[in-house]
Amino acid sequence: MCQSCLSWYARCIAPYLVHAGCSANAFTDMRRRLIPRAGGVVVEVGFGSGLNLPYYDAARVKRLVGVDPDGTMLGLAEPKSRSMPFDVDCIRASGERLPLADSFADTVVVTYAFCTIPDPEAALTEIRRILKPTGRLIFIEHGQAEGPRCRRWQERLNLIWGRLAGGCHLNRDPLHLIRTAGFQTVEAQRERFQLQLGSHHAGIAIPLAG
């Protein structure tokens, strides 16, 4: 596919496909479990089309800042953002360069974004920076499958899948990324996900001192 066609697809088609795919029940069930536990000043990295918005607990959230580099996705989120009972600010920016002050957030939420962020290690460094020392990272991700056969399929599909699904990588290990970035997981769930998406990870991590 030519570069101009890929660019058009990424702007005009992929955001809607990703929105539809991430609205499936398997994603929704995990959002329902974890997102209500966010509280205080919340930063959501990889805000996308705002699919987490219905699951935030309005009694716990003081303010929500949604960060995403895709203007089309933020446009899809805008109507829902305006209807929330707490302040929602949407910022077009990358996870690797968060335009927020040090120790800004009580909670950072990342759902199905470490697979897509070009440099997840840099994004996690930024997340540590903006989190208060007592803050928490709530994460929900898919990643590398447990079985070697499925892992081989993920490797084979990874390039074409990424082009079709907004840059998504099938073969990343989100728990390894989080732990090596200076976080301790205090809760972690791992389940088998559907088809090529491998394993489903969810949990809460806290920044280590130092």
Side-chain angles (χ1 to χ4, degrees):
M1 188 181 292
C2 68
Q3 192 60 42
S4 61
C5 293
L6 285 172
S7 178
W8 173 84
Y9 177 87
R11 291 193 319 272
C12 302
I13 303 297
Y16 298 94
L17 290 179
V18 171
H19 171 79
C22 290
S23 301
N25 288 339
F27 298 88
T28 298
D29 290 344
M30 198 66 89
R31 295 179 201 275
R32 189 177 290 115
R33 289 187 221 173
L34 270 294
I35 300 303
R37 299 177 67 178
V41 175
V42 181
V43 175
E44 185 176 332
V45 178
F47 188 62
S49 57
L51 289 173
N52 287 330
L53 285 172
Y55 306 103
Y56 283 106
D57 182 348
R60 294 172 60 93
V61 176
K62 179 179 178 181
R63 177 189 176 193
L64 172 62
V65 179
V67 181
D68 200 280
D70 191 315
T72 303
M73 292 294 253
L74 290 176
L76 291 173
E78 186 178 356
K80 287 177 282 186
S81 299
R82 290 199 304 265
S83 68
M84 298 303 292
F86 46 79
D87 290 338
V88 180
D89 301 311
C90 294
I91 300 174
R92 187 173 182 181
S94 71
E96 297 93 334
R97 289 192 174 187
L98 297 173
L100 299 167
D102 295 356
S103 301
F104 175 84
D106 299 291
T107 311
V108 172
V109 172
V110 185
T111 60
Y112 312 108
F114 287 135
C115 61
T116 303
I117 294 171
D119 188 344
E121 292 88 354
L124 279 158
T125 298
E126 280 287 86
I127 287 168
R128 278 199 71 187
R129 180 183 65 78
I130 69 164
L131 263 177
K132 294 177 181 176
T134 56
R136 303 189 303 166
L137 167 63
I138 295 176
F139 63 91
I140 311 174
E141 295 291 330
H142 71 83
Q144 196 176 66
E146 293 187 39
R149 184 177 178 183
C150 189
R151 284 191 184 186
R152 287 194 294 271
W153 272 110
Q154 287 180 312
E155 293 292 339
R156 291 169 185 163
L157 290 170
N158 195 55
L159 181 59
I160 185 64
W161 178 262
R163 289 177 174 174
L164 294 174
C168 175
H169 291 73
L170 295 170
N171 55 358
R172 289 181 176 170
D173 184 343
L175 284 182
H176 176 74
L177 289 169
I178 290 166
R179 287 167 178 165
T180 56
F183 286 88
Q184 176 186 350
T185 51
V186 293
E187 293 183 34
Q189 305 172 34
R190 180 170 181 162
E191 302 174 356
R192 188 176 179 181
F193 212 172
Q194 52 194 15
L195 301 174
Q196 71 280 358
L197 295 181
S199 297
H200 206 170
H201 301 271
I204 296 173
I206 58 174
L208 293 170

